[in-house]
Amino acid sequence: MQISSVNDVKIYNLSHGKSLPEWLSDRKKRQLQKKDADIQHRIELIQDFEMPTVCTSIQVSRDGQFILAAGTYKPRIRCYDTYQLSLKFERCLDSDVVAFDILSDDYSKLVFLHCDRYVVFHSQHGHYYKTRIPKFGRDFSYHYPSCDLYFVGTSSEVFRLNLEQGRFLNSLQTDAVENNVCDINPIHHLFATGTSEGRVECWDPRVRNRVGMLDCALSSLTEGTEVQGLPSISALKFNGSLTMAVGTSTGQVLLYDLRSSHPLLVKDHFYNLPIKSLNFHDQLDLVVSADSKIIKIWNKDSGKVFSSIQPQTNINDVCIYPHSGMLFTANEDPKMNTFYIPALGPAPRWCSFLDNLTEELEESPESTVYDDYKFVTRKDLENLGLSHLVGSSLLRAYMHGFFMDIRLYHKVKSMANPFAYEEYRKDKIRQKIEESRTQRVQVKKLPKVNKELALKLMEEGDDEAVLASRKKKGKALPSILGDDRFKVMFENPDYQVDEQSEEFRLLNPIVSKVGQKRKKKLRLLAQQAAASQQVAEDEDEPEGRASSDEESSDDDKSWVEEVREQRRLLRQEDRDRRRQERKEADRNTVLLEREQNGGQNTSNMAERKKTSQPQFYQIKPGEEFRSFNDMARKQKLQKVSLEERLKLEEHSGTSNMADTAVGSKQLTFTLKKSEQQRKQQQAEREHYEERKKLRRSAGHLSSGRGRGRGGGRGRGRH
């Protein structure tokens, strides 16, 4: 027996435990009961309460004495006598049972609807009669006042078979393509059928006319419902004269008052699975709805959950024993489950000892064993995405965390990280390989960024580690490679050291010499540490110091010379670069002058100014392109003083600023002229062009006269 509690409602699973095979001898069974604790604690309420493979449907007779169950394989019906707590009879059938009903108060009159369209009648002694309906059936209901059987199935018609006359009557024509379920109200005998289009049609058997229609498909859609298709009707049940429960294929249960077309309450199972069974518990005004995963018990007025049962196997049918707290389930498993809920009602008369047993269990509480629970903290719940379950019955608060069912934990863990086992297996294999590699030569992996710097730091770290290991109390300083603050320098390509930059070339001799001095110092300290272990006193220590001082002075001279050499190389590269820029500027200047001269010799100068296409000119073979005027001008600029050269550059609008310090940069820019200055220069240029056109040449005048004062002026001829 297994005990569970949901919403502080205790549920006793009387079928929990191992089942012994039939072929086992009584002696062997007694031996197993002595050894196995699970077999000792199990309760076999009804002997052989199981099917060979699967149980499809289960019902209780109206007198409460017999329990009938249909299952497979092979297709069969089993009847259990509750007074004897054992199997009464078993009958094998020709095909699987789709639905069956008990027409009498006991097992003497049974009707079976088979999957091959046959309708089979059984009496107390066995098979009685067999007939066939035109279409494949899915459900049927019995109308007691007229002795009519109403069959629904893969057809728009509802077939009527009168058992008193023994013949088929006129069918009821519905507007549906197919009908899934049907039911008859036990008080006013209203017949209702649920269609595959999500409608419920109600018919009056007295006049054989349709009296109403409900569209349950649209009413079942709530705010949080995900629509994946048109919901069809999968379950239907009347309660009293005015209440009707409708189950849909998308997992919603709708409660209707027959006087209204809108549902009173919509209850969602949130599994998106078809509702298999609907039952009412009149004593507590509860509804028992079941899909293939879970059985939910909830209040029919408020919809508040009373309790729930989740078996380990899928559910096919649910049956409540009348006026008690016991219910049976038909599962996709050989064993049929029996649940007892004392909060729903007392135990049946034939198993009244269950009340005494449950009372003793409640009076003598045992220490709680948490073998089937997992302790999780709030951080674990956030990682698993179960923080919304805090405060629910699935989590039991304890100390700084919660206890949750180990099955739920494993299920959520596998969904959150489905490859956890593969990762764990790979980590274990990696650890084994690394342990086997400890005897081999260790190869240090260099990072992708700044490999040279990392290699140098590794070498320096090895030297410091060797030195620290030779000292008694010395400790090696932490390396930059192992510091998280500098790990980005070896991962991000933006931190790559550019060895061709001017700053690096000027500073590299200093850094390299410092590194060499550091290596020499480490080597010297290592030698001194090794010598101090062998010799107590060293008499040649002052001479060694003098030699080290001389070496340091030589090193200072060498790195100064290297810095000077790098400066000289940088200046030479700068001059070469400037010379190349001047050549490019000279070439562009000559091309521009040729374009302007060619434009003045033509009459359509204005049109050429408008065109923005470049002009190309052909150079004759053997002719070398040079700009003599510009070269002469630059030679003159080199001879003038710095003040005059700066004035000329300022007048031309180009200025150069240079600095010769370490890390210097050269900046070349053009001064931007204002709009007024540009207009003034344009006006002067136009005035100059106008005067140039109006100017007359004075070359024909003779210049042979004397240049004396007043010579040739004011002298007239008399």
Side-chain angles (χ1 to χ4, degrees), residues 159-188:
F159 305 108
R160 295 191 303 152
L161 177 61
N162 187 272
L163 301 184
E164 184 181 6
Q165 303 178 16
R167 65 187 182 93
F168 282 97
L169 304 179
N170 293 332
S171 302
L172 304 179
Q173 184 66 40
T174 65
D175 294 339
V177 178
E178 295 178 351
N179 295 280
N180 296 329
V181 290
C182 63
D183 193 23
I184 295 178
N185 192 287
I187 296 178
H188 50 70

Short mmCIF file of all heavy atoms in Angstrom, two decimals, residues 159-188:
data_model
loop_
_atom_site.label_atom_id
_atom_site.label_comp_id
_atom_site.label_asym_id
_atom_site.label_seq_id
_atom_site.Cartn_x
_atom_site.Cartn_y
_atom_site.Cartn_z
N PHE A 159 -28.16 5.44 -34.47
CA PHE A 159 -28.95 4.22 -34.70
C PHE A 159 -29.68 3.82 -33.42
O PHE A 159 -29.10 3.86 -32.33
CB PHE A 159 -28.03 3.08 -35.16
CG PHE A 159 -27.22 3.43 -36.37
CD1 PHE A 159 -25.86 3.66 -36.27
CD2 PHE A 159 -27.82 3.54 -37.62
CE1 PHE A 159 -25.11 3.98 -37.38
CE2 PHE A 159 -27.08 3.86 -38.73
CZ PHE A 159 -25.72 4.09 -38.62
N ARG A 160 -30.96 3.42 -33.61
CA ARG A 160 -31.81 3.03 -32.49
C ARG A 160 -32.18 1.55 -32.64
O ARG A 160 -32.66 1.12 -33.68
CB ARG A 160 -33.08 3.87 -32.42
CG ARG A 160 -32.81 5.35 -32.13
CD ARG A 160 -34.12 6.05 -31.80
NE ARG A 160 -35.10 5.90 -32.88
CZ ARG A 160 -36.43 5.91 -32.71
NH1 ARG A 160 -36.93 6.05 -31.50
NH2 ARG A 160 -37.25 5.78 -33.74
N LEU A 161 -31.92 0.78 -31.58
CA LEU A 161 -32.26 -0.64 -31.54
C LEU A 161 -33.20 -0.87 -30.36
O LEU A 161 -32.81 -0.67 -29.20
CB LEU A 161 -30.99 -1.49 -31.38
CG LEU A 161 -31.20 -3.00 -31.26
CD1 LEU A 161 -31.87 -3.57 -32.51
CD2 LEU A 161 -29.86 -3.70 -31.01
N ASN A 162 -34.45 -1.30 -30.68
CA ASN A 162 -35.44 -1.55 -29.64
C ASN A 162 -35.32 -3.00 -29.18
O ASN A 162 -35.43 -3.94 -29.98
CB ASN A 162 -36.85 -1.29 -30.17
CG ASN A 162 -37.90 -1.38 -29.09
OD1 ASN A 162 -38.42 -2.44 -28.80
ND2 ASN A 162 -38.20 -0.24 -28.45
N LEU A 163 -35.04 -3.17 -27.87
CA LEU A 163 -34.83 -4.52 -27.34
C LEU A 163 -36.15 -5.23 -27.05
O LEU A 163 -36.19 -6.47 -26.99
CB LEU A 163 -34.00 -4.45 -26.05
CG LEU A 163 -32.61 -3.80 -26.18
CD1 LEU A 163 -31.87 -3.89 -24.86
CD2 LEU A 163 -31.80 -4.47 -27.28
N GLU A 164 -37.24 -4.50 -26.92
CA GLU A 164 -38.52 -5.14 -26.69
C GLU A 164 -39.07 -5.75 -27.98
O GLU A 164 -39.57 -6.88 -27.98
CB GLU A 164 -39.51 -4.12 -26.12
CG GLU A 164 -40.86 -4.73 -25.77
CD GLU A 164 -41.82 -3.70 -25.22
OE1 GLU A 164 -41.48 -2.48 -25.21
OE2 GLU A 164 -42.93 -4.07 -24.79
N GLN A 165 -38.94 -5.00 -29.11
CA GLN A 165 -39.42 -5.50 -30.39
C GLN A 165 -38.36 -6.31 -31.12
O GLN A 165 -38.69 -7.07 -32.02
CB GLN A 165 -39.86 -4.32 -31.27
CG GLN A 165 -40.93 -3.46 -30.63
CD GLN A 165 -41.30 -2.27 -31.51
OE1 GLN A 165 -40.98 -2.27 -32.70
NE2 GLN A 165 -41.98 -1.29 -30.93
N GLY A 166 -37.10 -6.08 -30.76
CA GLY A 166 -36.02 -6.83 -31.40
C GLY A 166 -35.74 -6.35 -32.81
O GLY A 166 -35.40 -7.16 -33.68
N ARG A 167 -35.86 -5.06 -33.08
CA ARG A 167 -35.61 -4.55 -34.43
C ARG A 167 -35.09 -3.11 -34.34
O ARG A 167 -35.25 -2.43 -33.32
CB ARG A 167 -36.88 -4.58 -35.27
CG ARG A 167 -37.99 -3.67 -34.79
CD ARG A 167 -39.27 -3.89 -35.58
NE ARG A 167 -40.35 -2.99 -35.16
CZ ARG A 167 -40.59 -1.80 -35.73
NH1 ARG A 167 -39.83 -1.38 -36.72
NH2 ARG A 167 -41.60 -1.06 -35.29
N PHE A 168 -34.49 -2.66 -35.44
CA PHE A 168 -33.97 -1.30 -35.53
C PHE A 168 -35.12 -0.34 -35.85
O PHE A 168 -35.99 -0.64 -36.69
CB PHE A 168 -32.89 -1.17 -36.62
CG PHE A 168 -31.56 -1.71 -36.19
CD1 PHE A 168 -31.18 -3.00 -36.54
CD2 PHE A 168 -30.68 -0.93 -35.45
CE1 PHE A 168 -29.95 -3.49 -36.16
CE2 PHE A 168 -29.44 -1.43 -35.06
CZ PHE A 168 -29.08 -2.71 -35.41
N LEU A 169 -35.10 0.81 -35.24
CA LEU A 169 -36.07 1.87 -35.50
C LEU A 169 -35.44 2.95 -36.36
O LEU A 169 -34.26 2.87 -36.71
CB LEU A 169 -36.56 2.46 -34.17
CG LEU A 169 -37.16 1.47 -33.17
CD1 LEU A 169 -37.58 2.20 -31.89
CD2 LEU A 169 -38.36 0.74 -33.78
N ASN A 170 -36.25 3.94 -36.75
CA ASN A 170 -35.72 5.03 -37.58
C ASN A 170 -34.60 5.77 -36.84
O ASN A 170 -34.70 6.07 -35.65
CB ASN A 170 -36.84 6.01 -37.94
CG ASN A 170 -37.87 5.37 -38.86
OD1 ASN A 170 -37.54 4.46 -39.62
ND2 ASN A 170 -39.10 5.84 -38.78
N SER A 171 -33.57 6.07 -37.59
CA SER A 171 -32.40 6.72 -37.00
C SER A 171 -32.65 8.21 -36.81
O SER A 171 -33.52 8.80 -37.47
CB SER A 171 -31.17 6.52 -37.89
OG SER A 171 -30.91 5.15 -38.09
N LEU A 172 -31.85 8.80 -35.91
CA LEU A 172 -31.87 10.24 -35.71
C LEU A 172 -30.78 10.87 -36.57
O LEU A 172 -29.61 10.48 -36.48
CB LEU A 172 -31.64 10.59 -34.23
CG LEU A 172 -32.61 9.94 -33.22
CD1 LEU A 172 -32.22 10.36 -31.80
CD2 LEU A 172 -34.04 10.33 -33.52
N GLN A 173 -31.17 11.84 -37.41
CA GLN A 173 -30.23 12.47 -38.33
C GLN A 173 -29.67 13.75 -37.68
O GLN A 173 -30.41 14.71 -37.44
CB GLN A 173 -30.91 12.81 -39.66
CG GLN A 173 -29.97 13.38 -40.70
CD GLN A 173 -28.93 12.36 -41.15
OE1 GLN A 173 -29.23 11.18 -41.32
NE2 GLN A 173 -27.70 12.82 -41.31
N THR A 174 -28.37 13.76 -37.40
CA THR A 174 -27.71 14.93 -36.80
C THR A 174 -27.00 15.74 -37.88
O THR A 174 -26.86 15.29 -39.03
CB THR A 174 -26.70 14.49 -35.73
OG1 THR A 174 -25.64 13.75 -36.36
CG2 THR A 174 -27.37 13.63 -34.67
N ASP A 175 -26.55 16.94 -37.51
CA ASP A 175 -25.82 17.80 -38.45
C ASP A 175 -24.31 17.55 -38.42
O ASP A 175 -23.56 18.23 -39.12
CB ASP A 175 -26.06 19.28 -38.09
CG ASP A 175 -27.51 19.67 -38.31
OD1 ASP A 175 -28.18 18.95 -39.09
OD2 ASP A 175 -27.96 20.66 -37.70
N ALA A 176 -23.87 16.59 -37.64
CA ALA A 176 -22.43 16.33 -37.50
C ALA A 176 -21.96 15.32 -38.53
O ALA A 176 -22.75 14.55 -39.10
CB ALA A 176 -22.13 15.81 -36.09
N VAL A 177 -20.67 15.35 -38.76
CA VAL A 177 -20.07 14.34 -39.64
C VAL A 177 -19.87 13.04 -38.88
O VAL A 177 -20.14 11.94 -39.40
CB VAL A 177 -18.72 14.86 -40.18
CG1 VAL A 177 -18.06 13.81 -41.06
CG2 VAL A 177 -18.92 16.15 -40.94
N GLU A 178 -19.40 13.14 -37.62
CA GLU A 178 -19.20 11.97 -36.78
C GLU A 178 -19.64 12.32 -35.36
O GLU A 178 -19.56 13.48 -34.94
CB GLU A 178 -17.74 11.52 -36.76
CG GLU A 178 -17.24 11.01 -38.10
CD GLU A 178 -15.77 10.63 -38.05
OE1 GLU A 178 -15.12 10.92 -37.02
OE2 GLU A 178 -15.27 10.03 -39.01
N ASN A 179 -20.07 11.30 -34.63
CA ASN A 179 -20.46 11.45 -33.23
C ASN A 179 -19.53 10.57 -32.38
O ASN A 179 -19.31 9.39 -32.70
CB ASN A 179 -21.91 11.04 -33.02
CG ASN A 179 -22.88 11.95 -33.75
OD1 ASN A 179 -23.20 13.04 -33.28
ND2 ASN A 179 -23.35 11.51 -34.92
N ASN A 180 -19.02 11.16 -31.29
CA ASN A 180 -18.03 10.45 -30.47
C ASN A 180 -18.65 9.81 -29.23
O ASN A 180 -18.36 8.65 -28.93
CB ASN A 180 -16.92 11.41 -30.04
CG ASN A 180 -16.12 11.94 -31.22
OD1 ASN A 180 -15.97 11.25 -32.22
ND2 ASN A 180 -15.62 13.15 -31.10
N VAL A 181 -19.46 10.55 -28.49
CA VAL A 181 -20.00 10.05 -27.22
C VAL A 181 -21.47 10.42 -27.13
O VAL A 181 -21.96 11.29 -27.88
CB VAL A 181 -19.23 10.64 -26.00
CG1 VAL A 181 -17.83 10.07 -25.92
CG2 VAL A 181 -19.23 12.16 -26.06
N CYS A 182 -22.16 9.78 -26.17
CA CYS A 182 -23.57 10.09 -25.94
C CYS A 182 -23.92 9.74 -24.50
O CYS A 182 -23.22 8.96 -23.85
CB CYS A 182 -24.48 9.35 -26.92
SG CYS A 182 -24.41 7.55 -26.75
N ASP A 183 -25.02 10.30 -24.02
CA ASP A 183 -25.50 10.03 -22.67
C ASP A 183 -26.97 10.42 -22.59
O ASP A 183 -27.46 11.25 -23.38
CB ASP A 183 -24.68 10.81 -21.64
CG ASP A 183 -24.92 10.32 -20.22
OD1 ASP A 183 -25.34 9.15 -20.08
OD2 ASP A 183 -24.70 11.09 -19.26
N ILE A 184 -27.67 9.79 -21.62
CA ILE A 184 -29.09 10.04 -21.41
C ILE A 184 -29.27 10.50 -19.98
O ILE A 184 -28.75 9.88 -19.04
CB ILE A 184 -29.92 8.78 -21.69
CG1 ILE A 184 -29.82 8.42 -23.18
CG2 ILE A 184 -31.38 8.99 -21.30
CD1 ILE A 184 -30.58 7.16 -23.54
N ASN A 185 -30.03 11.58 -19.80
CA ASN A 185 -30.28 12.10 -18.46
C ASN A 185 -31.13 11.11 -17.67
O ASN A 185 -32.17 10.64 -18.17
CB ASN A 185 -31.00 13.45 -18.57
CG ASN A 185 -31.04 14.19 -17.25
OD1 ASN A 185 -31.77 13.82 -16.34
ND2 ASN A 185 -30.27 15.26 -17.17
N PRO A 186 -30.71 10.78 -16.44
CA PRO A 186 -31.46 9.75 -15.69
C PRO A 186 -32.80 10.23 -15.15
O PRO A 186 -33.59 9.39 -14.68
CB PRO A 186 -30.50 9.41 -14.54
CG PRO A 186 -29.68 10.63 -14.34
CD PRO A 186 -29.53 11.25 -15.70
N ILE A 187 -33.10 11.54 -15.22
CA ILE A 187 -34.34 12.05 -14.63
C ILE A 187 -35.38 12.32 -15.72
O ILE A 187 -36.47 11.73 -15.72
CB ILE A 187 -34.06 13.31 -13.80
CG1 ILE A 187 -33.15 12.94 -12.62
CG2 ILE A 187 -35.36 13.94 -13.31
CD1 ILE A 187 -32.76 14.11 -11.75
N HIS A 188 -35.08 13.20 -16.66
CA HIS A 188 -36.06 13.51 -17.71
C HIS A 188 -35.70 12.86 -19.04
O HIS A 188 -36.36 13.13 -20.05
CB HIS A 188 -36.21 15.03 -17.89
CG HIS A 188 -34.90 15.76 -18.05
ND1 HIS A 188 -34.11 15.64 -19.16
CD2 HIS A 188 -34.27 16.61 -17.20
CE1 HIS A 188 -33.05 16.40 -19.02
NE2 HIS A 188 -33.10 17.01 -17.83
#
